[in-house]
């Protein structure tokens, strides 16, 4: 089993894509599934607070750090048929391997930073595809029962950017199993922007490799593919989820938006369970926050390529980032009466 060390100066900023976060009191690395289960079980028995970290791409850690043990999930690899992947496996490397092997289904989720085990927790999605559409099951360590069990997709309670696993530390994802198509074609293209890029119609199936390259190109153009030299990628991806307005509130919200932007403006809306989904990026821009909008001291800003990403421009603190997030959230609410909610997990900090 990997050794749990008292380190004191293992900074979480070294393990998050935002490059923010204070020190961890203790730090452990699990390189196999057995090690991961053993470490978490031992820490739970000792009553030790535990923070699980994979790629750190959906994590905002406070400047005070974490007063407990951080366990980095460093498991990797996938099954011979590519359908089952270890929780700590770099996600995009796995997606690329499935496409290269002539398998379709995950190509629209190319370029998303982080590890495979995080994808079912928040039902990761992009360009018309969500994990819930392709996931078959996960292997989970149940921390209360102290046992490993299989959990099916139906049991995970998937909804927009969430599942029963989000917001709870009751289970540790150990591996994920997907349904993949063996004909080398993508899932039906559901996203209009991607269809235009491919020169295809919405609903078409195209070679998975072509869809992957198109998605990567679109993401790069928005600063959503990690690049250490590009501060626009020093982010947690989309900081806010697209808000869902409950059905009874839709007329009033749309009327308020029209009052602000005018009756001729085309408001992007999408169907959603129990209501209507709005574009967070559209609302942010119409509330007066342009790409590159600076936060405190210029140490943080909205991405110069995408208004949904809050970025560390170098030398920032988590407090700086949260100040900018509050400014954007409050500005949108004051202008449109719509509340934006953060997508990343906030640890030892809050909006």
């Amino acid at each position: 089993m990997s050794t749990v060390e008292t380190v004191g100066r293992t900074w979480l900023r070294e393990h998050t894509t935002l490059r923010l976060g204070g020190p961890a009191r203790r730090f452990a690395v699990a390189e196999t599934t057995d090690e991961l289960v053993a470490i978490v079980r031992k820490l739970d028995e000792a009553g030790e607070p535990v923070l699980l970290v994979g790629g750190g791409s959906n994590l905002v850690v406070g400047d005070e750090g974490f007063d407990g043990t951080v366990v980095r999930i460093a498991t990797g690899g996938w099954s011979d048929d590519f359908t089952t992947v270890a929780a700590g496996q770099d996600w995009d490397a796995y997606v690329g391997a499935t496409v290269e092997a002539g398998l379709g289904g995950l190509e629209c989720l190319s370029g998303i930073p982080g590890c495979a085990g995080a994808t079912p927790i928040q039902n990761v999605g992009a360009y018309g595809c969500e994990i819930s559409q392709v996931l078959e099951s996960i292997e989970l360590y149940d921390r209360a029962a102290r046992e490993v069990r299989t959990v099916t997709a139906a049991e995970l309670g998937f909804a927009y950017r969430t599942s029963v696993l989000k917001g709870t530390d009751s289970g540790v994802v150990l591996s994920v199993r997907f349904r993949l198509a063996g004909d080398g074609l993508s899932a039906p293209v559901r996203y209009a922007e991607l269809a235009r890029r491919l020169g295809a119609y919405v609903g078409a199936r195209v070679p998975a490799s072509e869809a992957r390259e198109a998605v990567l190109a679109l993401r790069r153009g928005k600063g959503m593919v990690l690049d250490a030299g590009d501060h626009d990628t020093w982010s947690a991806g989309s900081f806010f989820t697209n808000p869902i307005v409950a059905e009874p509130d839709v007329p009033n919200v749309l009327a308020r938006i029209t009052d602000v932007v005018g009756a001729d403006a085309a408001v992007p809306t999408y169907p959603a369970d129990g209501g209507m989904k709005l574009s967070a990026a559209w609302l942010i821009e119409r509330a007066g926050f342009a790409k590159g909008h600076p936060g405190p001291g210029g140490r943080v800003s909205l991405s110069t390529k995408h208004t949904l990403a809050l970025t560390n421009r170098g030398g920032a603190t988590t407090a700086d980032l949260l100040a900018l997030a509050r400014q954007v959230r409050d500005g949108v609410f004051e202008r449109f009466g719509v509340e934006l909610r953060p997508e990343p997990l906030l640890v030892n900090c809050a909006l």
Side-chain angles (χ1 to χ4, degrees):
M1 186 177 79
S2 297
T3 302
V4 178
E5 302 179 29
T6 302
V7 290
R9 287 295 172 181
T10 297
W11 292 85
L12 272 299
R13 67 190 180 207
E14 298 171 2
H15 298 279
T16 67
T17 54
L18 270 165
R19 293 166 170 79
L20 296 176
R25 179 160 54 83
R26 307 175 80 192
F27 193 86
V29 178
E31 295 183 345
T32 69
T33 296
D34 287 344
E35 285 183 350
L36 178 56
V37 171
I39 290 171
V40 173
R41 180 182 286 130
K42 179 179 180 180
L43 294 171
D44 285 346
E45 290 172 349
E48 172 79 353
V50 175
L51 174 63
L52 299 167
V53 175
S57 60
N58 199 50
L59 197 59
V60 181
V61 181
D63 294 312
E64 292 75 23
F66 183 70
D67 189 21
T69 298
V70 171
V71 179
R72 188 169 78 82
I73 303 174
T75 58
W78 48 80
S79 60
D80 289 343
D81 65 358
F82 294 89
T83 60
T84 303
V85 58
Q89 171 62 46
D90 177 82
W91 174 250
D92 189 58
Y94 168 61
V95 173
T98 66
V99 171
E100 187 175 345
L103 301 172
L106 301 179
E107 57 285 328
C108 288
L109 301 175
S110 294
I112 295 175
C115 295
T119 61
I121 294 174
Q122 67 171 40
N123 190 16
V124 163
Y127 295 101
C129 179
E130 291 185 333
I131 286 295
S132 59
Q133 297 164 352
V134 289
L135 185 140
E136 185 171 294
S137 64
I138 64 171
E139 187 180 40
L140 182 83
Y141 173 60
D142 186 322
R143 295 173 70 179
R146 294 196 292 183
E147 66 179 17
V148 174
R149 59 190 179 91
T150 298
V151 181
T152 66
E155 297 174 277
L156 286 171
F158 284 124
Y160 172 63
R161 296 299 177 271
T162 194
S163 72
V164 297
L165 299 176
K166 189 170 182 177
T168 175
D169 57 3
S170 60
V172 182
V173 178
L174 304 177
S175 66
V176 189
R177 183 173 179 81
F178 294 104
R179 295 184 304 275
L180 303 176
D183 58 6
L185 296 179
S186 71
V189 177
R190 299 180 178 91
Y191 203 77
E193 182 185 22
L194 177 59
R196 288 192 297 270
R197 180 88 185 194
L198 287 164
Y201 59 88
V202 172
R205 298 184 70 206
V206 302
S209 58
E210 293 182 12
R212 172 171 165 79
E213 289 308 312
V215 167
L216 288 172
L218 288 170
R219 291 185 66 86
R220 287 191 189 99
K222 298 174 183 179
M224 292 293 187
V225 176
L226 293 182
D227 178 349
D230 181 359
H231 282 275
D232 278 331
T233 73
W234 291 27
S235 76
S238 297
F239 193 89
F240 296 105
T241 58
N242 290 321
I244 295 177
V245 180
E247 190 66 41
D249 299 328
V250 168
N252 288 337
V253 168
L254 288 179
R256 182 162 177 177
I257 292 174
T258 298
D259 287 343
V260 174
V261 302
D264 295 334
V267 182
T269 62
Y270 313 91
D273 290 341
M276 178 187 67
K277 187 190 300 181
L278 298 172
S279 165
W282 189 92
L283 292 170
I284 290 168
E285 291 172 6
R286 271 63 180 185
F289 301 100
K291 295 172 184 176
H293 179 88
R299 296 181 295 274
V300 294
S301 79
L302 298 186
S303 167
T304 66
K305 302 180 181 75
H306 197 307
T307 49
L308 265 185
L310 276 63
T311 66
N312 174 4
R313 311 314 293 188
T317 65
T318 302
D320 292 334
L321 185 87
L322 294 177
L324 175 59
R326 292 187 196 101
Q327 183 185 25
V328 172
R329 178 199 62 187
D330 295 348
V332 168
F333 186 79
E334 290 168 7
R335 198 156 178 83
F336 300 116
V338 176
E339 184 176 359
L340 297 182
R341 300 182 184 277
E343 184 170 326
L345 174 66
L346 307 183
V347 177
N348 202 16
C349 60
L351 284 183

